[in-house]
Amino acid sequence: MVPHLATALTGPLLDLEKKILEATPAIERWFRLEWQEHTPPFYCSVDLRNAGYKLAPVDTNLFPGGFNNLSTEMLPLAVQAAMAAIDKYCPDARNLLMIPETHTRNPLYLQNVARLMQIFRQTGLHVRLGSLSPDVTQPTPLALPDGNMLVVEPLVRSSNGRRVGLADFDPCTILLNNDLSAGIPTILENIHEQSLLPPVHAGWALRRKSNHLKAFDEVAKKFGKLIDIDPWLVNPLHSKVGELDLQEDVGTEQLADAVSMLLSKIKKKYKEYGMKEQKPFVIVKPDAGTYGMGVMTVKDASEVRDLSRAQRNKMTVIKDGVAVNDMIVQEGVPTFESINDAVAEPVVYMIDRYVVGGFYRIHAERGIDQNLNAPGSQYVPLAFAQQHAVPDLKAKPGTAAPNRFYVYGVVARLGLLAASLEMERTDPNPEVY
């Protein structure tokens, strides 16, 4: 399924699609060489925005939920990619311990956990679930919507204090599907005998979006040079504002100035590309955090200065009650894709360095310039099937599903590569790994 593109299928995006398709051998070789130098995150999902004039990642998630939204045709590819990923860390692995989010009552999230368990079992691993929740003191069954059952068990530290597992289960590898927004739990500190994937500094206790965006700037520049395009076509402009306390009105002016500066930079770009109708906007969001919380669309700096008390409260506390002191101002990339008149954005999933599927996030009540990762969003699996890697070079740009999906996959992998650079540079114990 390729959604309707509300904007006319002409202009820069078609040029971009054409350039990417023509440069496929050079792009794939470039990725191959980059992966010799850098280790991709264990898994990753990237939210893309197709604006008709640019195609850019707007968020990169290193603890992706939502594997249940991928089409079943993609499962064999996911299993192969998972095998490649596990081989890197523990080739003789037998046991995998997975640590899910502690809000495990959400049925959709549980389906994601079940899908991940299915993928890793197919790679030849025994998979069990350990919980960080203090309420889980014994094996606890959780019902899935399809009538099946998952069991979460309390984590235990080994007698020598060097390993983590379950009472009767000693894993070689621990897979985190918990983004550590609430902080790094003591039980996960100083684990050196097992592979902890992703590493704890990928969690929101330590990770910052500004580090990722800095790394993405470098990747986009290299990619732009490789295929001879303006990096802006795949990269939203951005800036960071620190030491804020919006509830106490500390730093509001600084944030408004940053919004104003970015809006004028975007206007210049629009002028350069002859886009007279397009109105610039920015997205203001926390430098750390997930679930689309604390995200606001801003079209004028005055909106920041005139925030109501309720808006300030909403912007300053995110998941697990974490306070927000640093914010990102990011160029707003509208999405001109729609499915049945509902605004849509593609989300691409990767395990190791391989694209393993994706879906369209759609939201009937949101506009083209709003955050779609919000209550009420729905998911339509991308029909990548096996064809996303085999573009049709004879098709006209903008007409063939495999071409669209291949281009999505390329831009998503730019986000993946930026995440690998970010993880290397922010690793607090580089010598341990």
Side-chain angles (χ1 to χ4, degrees):
M1 118 108 52
V2 179
H4 177 60
L5 200 58
T7 184
L9 277 170
T10 55
L13 194 70
L14 289 197
D15 291 342
L16 178 64
E17 185 178 305
K18 195 164 174 271
K19 283 202 162 175
I20 288 176
L21 291 171
E22 285 170 355
T24 297
I27 290 168
E28 294 306 328
R29 179 175 181 273
W30 177 68
F31 273 125
R32 207 167 61 241
L33 295 175
E34 290 290 336
W35 296 132
Q36 286 174 19
E37 299 289 322
H38 310 287
T39 304
F42 187 78
Y43 54 8
C44 175
S45 69
V46 175
D47 296 5
L48 298 174
R49 284 287 184 114
N50 183 348
Y53 56 87
K54 75 189 286 178
L55 175 67
V58 291
D59 203 23
T60 300
N61 185 358
L62 298 179
F63 298 87
F67 275 90
N68 52 307
N69 296 318
L70 307 189
S71 67
T72 48
E73 293 87 353
M74 296 304 285
L75 273 179
L77 202 57
V79 170
Q80 278 182 315
M83 279 181 177
I86 289 288
D87 272 352
K88 275 185 190 165
Y89 296 97
C90 193
D92 58 350
R94 177 179 295 169
N95 295 337
L96 175 80
L97 176 65
M98 189 170 148
I99 300 179
E101 291 284 356
T102 48
H103 62 261
T104 42
R105 298 288 166 186
N106 177 334
L108 290 174
Y109 177 71
L110 289 179
Q111 285 175 308
N112 156 69
V113 172
R115 173 60 67 83
L116 277 168
M117 290 178 79
Q118 181 190 6
I119 288 167
F120 287 104
R121 279 186 178 135
Q122 286 298 113
T123 70
L125 292 168
H126 296 290
V127 187
R128 283 167 69 177
L129 299 174
S131 177
L132 289 170
S133 171
D135 301 334
V136 176
T137 53
Q138 58 187 31
T140 305
L142 299 169
L144 289 166
D146 62 6
N148 287 320
M149 206 67 91
L150 293 177
V151 177
V152 288
E153 303 176 62
L155 294 172
V156 294
R157 198 90 190 204
S158 63
S159 52
N160 69 4
R162 295 180 66 83
R163 298 176 75 84
V164 171
L166 306 175
D168 58 346
F169 189 72
D170 182 24
C172 154
T173 306
I174 300 163
L175 179 65
L176 282 174
N177 197 242
N178 181 312
D179 63 26
L180 306 181
S181 288
I184 299 168
T186 315
I187 199 162
L188 294 183
E189 289 178 348
N190 303 313
I191 296 174
H192 302 317
E193 291 184 2
Q194 295 158 298
S195 295
L196 183 61
L197 304 168
V200 288
H201 70 282
W204 287 122
L206 297 174
R207 187 181 179 215
R208 296 295 175 264
K209 290 173 190 168
S210 48
N211 291 327
H212 179 79
L213 296 174
K214 222 178 282 176
F216 193 84
D217 285 346
E218 287 177 43
V219 169
K221 269 183 197 152
K222 273 189 175 181
F223 184 71
K225 205 170 171 185
L226 178 76
I227 69 165
D228 189 28
I229 60 159
D230 177 355
W232 178 74
L233 294 174
V234 293
N235 188 15
L237 301 168
H238 57 87
S239 66
K240 177 189 168 178
V241 184
E243 297 173 21
L244 291 166
D245 186 344
L246 291 183
Q247 273 178 325
E248 298 300 322
D249 203 14
V250 175
T252 306
E253 203 53 46
Q254 198 187 346
L255 184 61
D257 288 347
V259 166
S260 193
M261 278 172 68
L262 204 66
L263 284 169
S264 63
K265 279 184 185 174
I266 300 166
K267 267 184 199 149
K268 273 186 193 158
K269 273 291 176 191
Y270 286 179
K271 199 174 173 189
E272 185 186 326
Y273 281 88
M275 292 157 47
K276 291 171 187 155
E277 303 301 309
Q278 194 63 41
K279 295 274 183 287
F281 68 98
V282 296
I283 300 294
V284 176
K285 57 186 176 183
D287 197 9
T290 185
Y291 290 159
M293 295 177 83
V295 177
M296 186 170 78
T297 299
V298 178
K299 294 174 184 175
D300 190 273
S302 62
E303 294 170 48
V304 172
R305 294 187 184 100
D306 302 339
L307 284 172
S308 67
R309 174 59 57 193
Q311 283 172 313
R312 286 174 189 275
N313 292 344
K314 215 174 173 182
M315 295 292 289
T316 49
V317 179
I318 51 169
K319 187 185 168 200
D320 292 330
V322 175
V324 176
N325 300 112
D326 300 316
M327 305 214 78
I328 295 290
V329 182
Q330 190 175 28
E331 175 189 347
V333 182
T335 178
F336 279 110
E337 297 193 85
S338 60
I339 294 175
N340 301 333
D341 297 328
V343 176
E345 67 185 5
V347 184
V348 177
Y349 275 60
M350 289 153 285
I351 296 177
D352 197 64
R353 57 188 175 139
Y354 306 100
V355 172
V356 297
F359 52 79
Y360 284 107
R361 183 186 285 124
I362 62 172
H363 205 303
E365 289 156 31
R366 293 266 164 149
I368 62 168
D369 56 359
Q370 288 179 298
N371 168 36
L372 303 190
N373 189 6
S377 58
Q378 294 174 297
Y379 307 96
V380 178
L382 281 176
F384 270 101
Q386 298 295 331
Q387 63 191 11
H388 75 283
V390 190
D392 178 358
L393 296 176
K394 289 178 186 153
K396 274 186 187 171
T399 62
N403 292 359
R404 173 82 68 85
F405 295 154
Y406 175 74
V407 171
Y408 286 167
V410 167
V411 178
R413 282 182 288 160
L414 297 179
L416 183 74
L417 180 55
S420 77
L421 298 179
E422 171 202 359
M423 288 297 99
E424 281 169 25
R425 290 165 189 179
T426 56
D427 189 343
N429 303 301
E431 71 285 350
V432 170
Y433 293 98

